């Protein structure tokens, strides 16, 4: 522990004395500052302290106090208290001076009355400040371990404290900033009257659509769309699950195969296919006009089109949820019902349906929440049907440019999401839904009533065909001149426009318009995926294997970002990280951070599920043999977590490639993402180019999934039965 303290003390000293203190204009990962070091903007904290920022001298005493702890002979409680004091004082002072003094000088009037006016500009934290802050956080964790908390394990203490600090900085701080932004005016003053005027505006809560030709408010539209998507996707997902599990339908494997498509498809690609099929010049619209004289209309733009596109995306997800629930229902319970004289309908209604409640609640919650946060489909197909996600977007980037209004709308969206989670918990209650026990259960599942089976066939099979046709349009549309106008002449033009490569006198030149966004997307996804897996699985290990005070609060902190819609995340990041000291907007780092903390809960849950299957005695055996916790995690636990690692890497990489609701606020001209580029092409009317680009993304993600599985490998478990069989064979 003393060696760790010395290492981080030296790191803090080097960061303050030699590394640029403030953020460079080209971002965190650019090193053009080396050519002008030490310059006016590329100077370490010590240089600024000697010059125009003397308040930075306040960072030095905590660093010296950290060095002073090395004078203690043992890492005892006095050592721990001193180290915690150094970390807390340093962390508090560094953050306080960063927030107090910004690009306009001193921001707090009450402080100006005490220390006098300060007009010196101070920009966001750079690598120097980050290094110093990291040292202070590590010292706090080591000091806590020295006091005997977390059983004195520095690895566990460091994992909990560092993870909590990151979650506070990149989940709670943005949400708190958004709350503050919703209640302030343009001058930064508290304006509750303005807040309530924004909150209860007529275009938010209005119900004019019931008594006039005017549209209803976005709150009504959003809730209505969410209820339609959640309810229909849940029922259709249950229908597909019953067809696959409880019938002899010959193409059950094909139905299962359709479930992977939404996972690797950008969320707005479906809406593009819907436009191609049912737009004013779409394939189906043109056919109906020519064959039956039905004139083209714009019926697809509005609630019908958005609902259809969301259902195409969410029904396969609901099917994945429901099939596991249907398979887990104990056949003996249904057999007991029929033995007592119940008919098939009575058995299904009184036994099967109640046991489906957890799955129904989970599927509905997923469909409802995803509908609330969906941005791409309402943007393409919404027309005059506004929802909260698009309203928030135009409040930020539109002509009105009202971040305060966007913050209020984001709060409403967040309240709907949290309310849905609460209602799900209340509906399920504390009843038991256990159907899988340790006892043998060799019964056969009850047959479905004939009427129900026919209804399932007549609803699920046509929808499966429609889904397959829709995705086929996505692939086919990129290879014809203009599928929207039914010009089916084969062409490579759309792919060449996006991904042209020319051989010039200076070498190969990537002249296609999509290369920059594709390179940025691959880079950000490749960086964020392993970071997401590492942080998520670390947190999973701490929650599943360690017992410490506040573990429930820690678990809630890690899962909160899963309940926050992407649109809310984008708005909160814009408000929190657009000004010093955490000035990240316009950089590639903010995209990485956004994806890591948006997708981290999946890694946590996947890791906890995998760890639940691994006996703790393996960890204890490693510790008994003298291994430290970090070595046990590296050599024993991680090899057994390969399925969870693959799941987390695949999920985080794919979602980073396809996310649109959050990153549409965070992209810039220098760091443009593929989804933002495709949205731009759709707005410009270049649908065929957008489809071609989406097809390339789907192919890249499918290949990436295979590469991740190959690179991580499979978990090898030695089985005594297998060894015995092998010996018997010889």
């Amino acid at each position: 522990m003393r060696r760790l303290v010395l290492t981080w003390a030296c790191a803090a000293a080097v960061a303050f004395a030699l590394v640029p203190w403030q953020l460079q204009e080209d971002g965190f990962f650019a090193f053009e500052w080396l050519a002008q070091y030490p310059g006016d903007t590329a100077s370490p904290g010590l240089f600024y302290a000697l010059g125009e920022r003397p308040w930075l001298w306040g960072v030095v005493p905590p660093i010296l106090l950290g060095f002073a702890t090395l004078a203690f002979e043992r890492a005892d409680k006095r050592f721990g208290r001193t180290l915690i004091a150094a970390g807390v004082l340093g962390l508090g002072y560094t953050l306080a001076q960063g927030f107090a003094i910004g690009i306009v000088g001193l921001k707090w009037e009450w402080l100006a009355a005490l220390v006098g006016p300060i007009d010196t500009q101070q920009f966001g934290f750079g690598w120097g400040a980050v290094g110093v802050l990291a040292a202070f956080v590590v010292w706090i964790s080591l000091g806590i371990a020295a006091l005997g908390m977390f059983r004195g394990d520095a690895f566990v203490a460091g994992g909990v404290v560092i993870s909590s600090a990151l979650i506070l900085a990149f989940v709670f701080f943005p949400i708190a900033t958004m709350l503050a932004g919703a209640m302030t005016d343009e001058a930064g003053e508290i304006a509750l009257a303005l807040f309530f005027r924004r909150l209860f505006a007529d275009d938010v809560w209005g119900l004019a659509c019931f008594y006039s030709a005017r549209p209803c408010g976005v709150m009504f539209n959003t809730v209505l769309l969410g209820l339609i998507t959640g309810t229909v996707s849940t029922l259709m997902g249950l229908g597909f699950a019953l067809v696959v599990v409880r019938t002899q339908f010959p193409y059950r494997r094909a139905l299962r195969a359709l479930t992977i498509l939404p996972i690797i498809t950008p969320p707005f690609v479906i809406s593009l296919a819907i436009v191609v099929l049912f737009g004013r010049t779409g394939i189906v619209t043109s056919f109906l006009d020519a064959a039956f004289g039905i004139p083209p209309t714009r019926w697809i733009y509005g609630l019908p089109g958005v609902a259809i596109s969301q259902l195409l995306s969410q029904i396969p997800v609901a099917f994945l949820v429901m099939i596991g629930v249907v398979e887990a229902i104990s056949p003996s319970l249904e057999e007991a019902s029929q033995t007592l004289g119940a008919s098939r309908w009575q058995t299904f209604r009184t036994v099967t349906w109640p046991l489906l409640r957890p799955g129904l609640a989970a599927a509905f919650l997923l469909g409802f929440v995803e509908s609330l946060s969906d941005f791409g489909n309402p943007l393409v197909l919404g027309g005059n049907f506004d929802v909260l996600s698009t309203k928030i977007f135009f409040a930020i980037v539109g002509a009105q440019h009202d971040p305060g209004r966007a913050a209020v709308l984001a709060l409403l969206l967040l309240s709907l999401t949290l309310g849905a989670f609460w209602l799900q918990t209340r509906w399920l209650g504390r009843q038991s839904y256990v159907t899988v026990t340790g006892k043998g259960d060799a019964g056969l599942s009850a047959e479905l009533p004939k009427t129900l089976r026919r209804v399932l066939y007549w609803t699920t099979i046509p929808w499966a065909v429609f889904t397959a046709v829709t995705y086929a349009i996505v692939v086919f549309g990129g290879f014809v001149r203009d599928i929207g106008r039914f010009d089916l002449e084969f062409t490579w033009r759309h792919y060449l426009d996006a991904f042209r490569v020319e051989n010039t006198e200076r070498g190969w030149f990537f002249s296609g318009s999509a290369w920059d966004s594709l390179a940025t997307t691959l880079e950000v996804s490749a960086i964020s995926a392993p970071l997401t897996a590492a942080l998520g699985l670390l947190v999973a290990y701490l929650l599943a294997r360690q017992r410490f005070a506040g573990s429930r609060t820690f678990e809630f902190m890690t899962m909160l970002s899963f309940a926050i819609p992407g649109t809310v995340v984008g708005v909160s990041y814009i408000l929190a990280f657009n000004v010093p000291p955490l000035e990240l907007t316009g950089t590639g780092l903010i995209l990485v951070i956004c994806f890591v903390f948006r997708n981290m809960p999946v890694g946590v849950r996947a890791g906890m599920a995998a760890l639940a299957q691994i006996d703790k005695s393996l960890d204890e055996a490693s510790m008994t043999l003298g291994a430290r916790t970090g070595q046990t995690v590296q050599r024993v636990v991680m090899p057994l977590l390969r399925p969870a690692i693959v799941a987390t890497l695949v999920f985080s990489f794919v979602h980073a490639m396809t996310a649109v609701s959050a990153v549409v606020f965070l992209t810039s001209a220098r760091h443009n993402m593929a989804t933002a580029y495709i949205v731009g092409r759709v707005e410009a009317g270049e649908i065929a180019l957008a489809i071609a680009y989406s097809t390339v993304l789907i192919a890249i993600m499918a290949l990436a999934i295979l590469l991740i599985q190959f690179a991580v490998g499979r978990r090898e478990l030695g089985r005594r039965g297998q060894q015995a069989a092998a010996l018997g064979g010889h």
Side-chain angles (χ1 to χ4, degrees):
M1 187 176 294
R2 290 164 56 85
R3 190 182 304 119
L4 284 173
V5 172
L6 176 61
T7 300
W8 282 98
C10 293
V14 170
F16 181 75
L18 299 177
V19 182
W21 182 262
Q22 70 182 30
L23 178 67
Q24 301 303 297
E25 184 178 354
D26 296 319
F28 274 90
F29 300 104
F31 296 95
E32 286 83 354
W33 56 268
L34 290 172
Q36 55 175 339
Y37 178 86
D40 191 27
T41 60
S43 299
L46 179 61
F47 181 90
Y48 290 126
L50 292 169
E52 57 184 5
R53 304 180 194 175
W55 57 84
L56 289 181
W57 284 114
V59 180
V60 175
I63 296 177
L64 296 178
L65 185 59
F67 276 106
T69 58
L70 299 173
F72 293 99
E73 296 181 359
R74 295 176 301 174
D76 54 11
K77 291 188 176 181
R78 286 194 308 158
F79 171 87
R81 294 192 189 100
T82 307
L83 199 56
I84 291 174
V88 170
L89 290 174
L91 186 65
Y93 181 82
T94 305
L95 291 175
Q97 64 83 29
F99 280 102
I101 306 171
I103 57 176
V104 294
L106 194 60
K107 295 186 289 186
W108 300 336
E109 293 183 2
W110 62 268
L111 187 59
L114 297 176
V115 301
I118 297 176
D119 298 327
T120 304
Q121 287 185 324
Q122 187 166 248
F123 298 97
F125 288 152
W127 283 118
V130 170
V132 171
L133 291 171
F136 292 148
V137 173
V138 172
W139 283 349
I140 293 173
S141 66
L142 294 176
I144 290 174
L147 292 180
M149 299 176 67
F150 303 103
R151 300 179 182 177
D153 193 319
F155 178 85
V156 176
V160 173
V161 172
I162 294 172
S163 300
S164 299
L166 291 173
I167 293 169
L168 287 172
F170 299 113
V171 177
F172 281 84
F173 172 66
I175 295 299
T177 304
M178 186 183 69
L179 288 171
M183 299 182 183
T184 56
D185 55 19
E186 295 181 358
E189 302 293 333
I190 298 295
L192 293 180
L194 178 61
F195 168 75
F196 286 110
R197 191 161 60 249
R198 289 166 171 167
L199 181 63
F200 296 107
D202 186 63
D203 63 341
V204 176
W205 299 96
L207 298 176
C209 60
F210 287 102
Y211 55 83
S212 69
R214 291 183 299 158
C216 277
V218 290
M219 197 69 174
F220 174 80
N221 292 345
T222 303
V223 173
L224 176 62
L225 179 62
L227 291 174
I228 292 173
T229 302
T231 303
V232 178
S233 64
T234 300
L235 294 177
M236 290 293 290
L238 173 62
F240 276 105
L242 291 173
V243 168
V244 170
V245 177
R246 296 293 184 91
T247 70
Q248 299 301 317
F249 183 64
Y251 301 105
R252 288 174 291 176
R253 291 186 178 181
L255 293 181
R256 284 179 177 265
L258 289 176
T259 60
I260 197 174
L261 291 176
I263 299 174
I264 61 173
T265 302
F268 45 81
V269 169
I270 298 299
S271 58
L272 298 181
I274 295 297
V275 172
V276 170
L277 287 171
F278 301 107
R280 284 184 60 85
T281 58
I283 297 173
V284 175
T285 304
S286 300
F287 171 77
L288 293 176
D289 185 21
F292 303 102
I294 300 176
T297 64
R298 295 178 58 85
W299 70 272
I300 201 66
Y301 295 99
L303 176 61
V306 179
I308 291 173
S309 60
Q310 289 188 350
L311 288 173
L312 283 167
S313 301
Q314 290 305 313
I315 287 176
V317 177
F319 169 62
L320 286 176
V321 173
M322 293 307 305
I323 192 171
V325 178
V326 172
E327 289 176 338
I329 293 178
S330 174
S332 61
L333 298 175
E334 297 174 324
E335 284 186 351
S337 174
Q338 293 182 334
T339 301
L340 293 173
S343 65
R344 293 179 183 177
W345 262 114
Q346 290 175 315
T347 299
F348 182 82
R349 182 173 55 85
T350 60
V351 177
T352 308
W353 181 260
L355 291 174
L356 292 173
R357 288 180 70 177
L360 294 172
F364 176 83
L365 182 66
L366 281 174
F368 183 78
V369 171
E370 288 299 319
S371 173
L372 296 183
S373 60
D374 182 23
F375 169 77
N377 292 316
L379 182 68
V380 176
L381 292 170
N384 294 326
F385 185 81
D386 291 327
V387 293
L388 281 171
S389 58
T390 54
K391 204 78 170 178
I392 292 170
F393 173 73
F394 288 114
I396 291 288
V397 304
Q400 54 183 312
H401 185 64
D402 191 349
R405 175 174 169 78
V408 171
L409 296 176
L411 283 178
L412 291 174
L413 189 57
L414 179 60
S415 67
L416 287 176
T417 304
L418 297 179
F421 276 92
W422 179 78
L423 288 175
Q424 182 207 33
T425 305
R426 287 297 299 264
W427 187 61
L428 290 179
R430 296 186 178 181
Q431 301 180 38
S432 175
Y433 300 93
V434 174
T435 61
V436 179
T437 66
K439 299 180 181 180
D441 192 353
L444 297 176
S445 299
E447 293 186 13
L448 296 176
K450 290 184 178 180
T451 304
L452 177 60
R453 190 162 62 246
R454 290 170 182 161
V455 171
L456 292 176
Y457 283 152
W458 281 102
T459 54
T460 58
I461 295 175
W463 187 266
V465 174
F466 176 54
T467 302
V469 170
T470 304
Y471 280 97
I473 289 294
V474 174
V475 178
F476 182 69
F479 291 99
V480 296
R481 185 173 295 277
D482 191 348
I483 193 171
R485 292 181 170 83
F486 212 61
D487 185 354
L488 303 183
E489 180 183 351
F490 179 83
T491 180
W492 290 98
R493 180 169 63 89
H494 309 305
Y495 288 93
L496 293 177
D497 289 343
F499 303 104
R500 180 179 284 107
V501 180
E502 299 179 14
N503 188 7
T504 65
E505 296 179 355
R506 298 183 179 181
W508 292 99
F509 177 63
F510 293 82
S511 59
S513 60
W515 281 117
D516 288 341
S517 62
L518 180 62
T520 301
T521 303
L522 290 174
E523 181 182 5
V524 170
S525 302
I527 294 173
S528 62
L531 292 177
T532 305
L535 182 60
L537 295 177
L538 171 64
V539 171
Y541 176 81
L542 296 174
L543 291 172
R545 285 293 197 263
Q546 305 297 326
R547 294 291 178 264
F548 53 89
S551 59
R552 291 294 183 93
T553 302
F554 181 57
E555 183 176 5
F556 169 76
M557 291 171 58
T558 61
M559 297 305 298
L560 179 63
S561 61
F562 186 74
I564 302 175
T567 310
V568 177
V569 172
V571 172
S572 63
Y573 270 44
I574 282 288
L575 297 176
F577 302 128
N578 199 38
V579 293
L582 303 178
E583 193 177 3
L584 300 175
T585 54
T587 68
L589 183 60
I590 194 172
L591 296 170
V592 173
I593 292 173
C594 175
F595 290 135
V596 168
F597 289 94
R598 279 285 290 159
N599 300 326
M600 179 190 66
V602 176
V604 174
R605 286 305 173 191
M608 292 181 69
L611 285 166
Q613 298 176 315
I614 302 173
D615 198 332
K616 290 184 178 180
S617 62
L618 296 174
D619 302 26
E620 295 169 356
S622 174
M623 304 287 281
T624 302
L625 293 173
R628 294 188 295 271
T629 304
Q631 293 174 315
T632 300
V633 171
Q634 178 184 356
R635 299 181 181 180
V636 177
V637 177
M638 292 302 291
L640 296 174
L641 287 180
R642 284 180 175 173
I645 295 173
V646 169
T648 307
L649 286 175
V650 168
F651 180 89
S652 55
F653 181 85
V654 168
H655 272 245
M657 291 284 290
T658 61
V660 62
S661 58
V663 300
V664 73
F665 298 97
L666 305 178
T667 55
S668 61
R670 185 169 184 176
H671 301 285
N672 194 21
M673 296 288 287
T675 50
Y677 174 91
I678 294 174
V679 168
R681 301 285 66 75
V682 172
E683 291 179 332
E686 301 175 5
I687 294 180
L689 178 58
I691 290 176
Y693 197 174
S694 301
T695 306
V696 171
L697 287 183
I698 293 173
I700 291 175
M701 285 183 282
L703 178 62
I705 291 173
L706 296 176
L707 291 177
I708 289 172
Q709 291 177 334
F710 175 79
V712 177
R714 298 180 60 185
R715 176 176 60 184
E716 299 293 338
L717 299 176
R719 300 295 189 191
R720 182 174 297 175
Q722 295 172 352
Q723 295 173 355
L727 291 173
H730 290 290

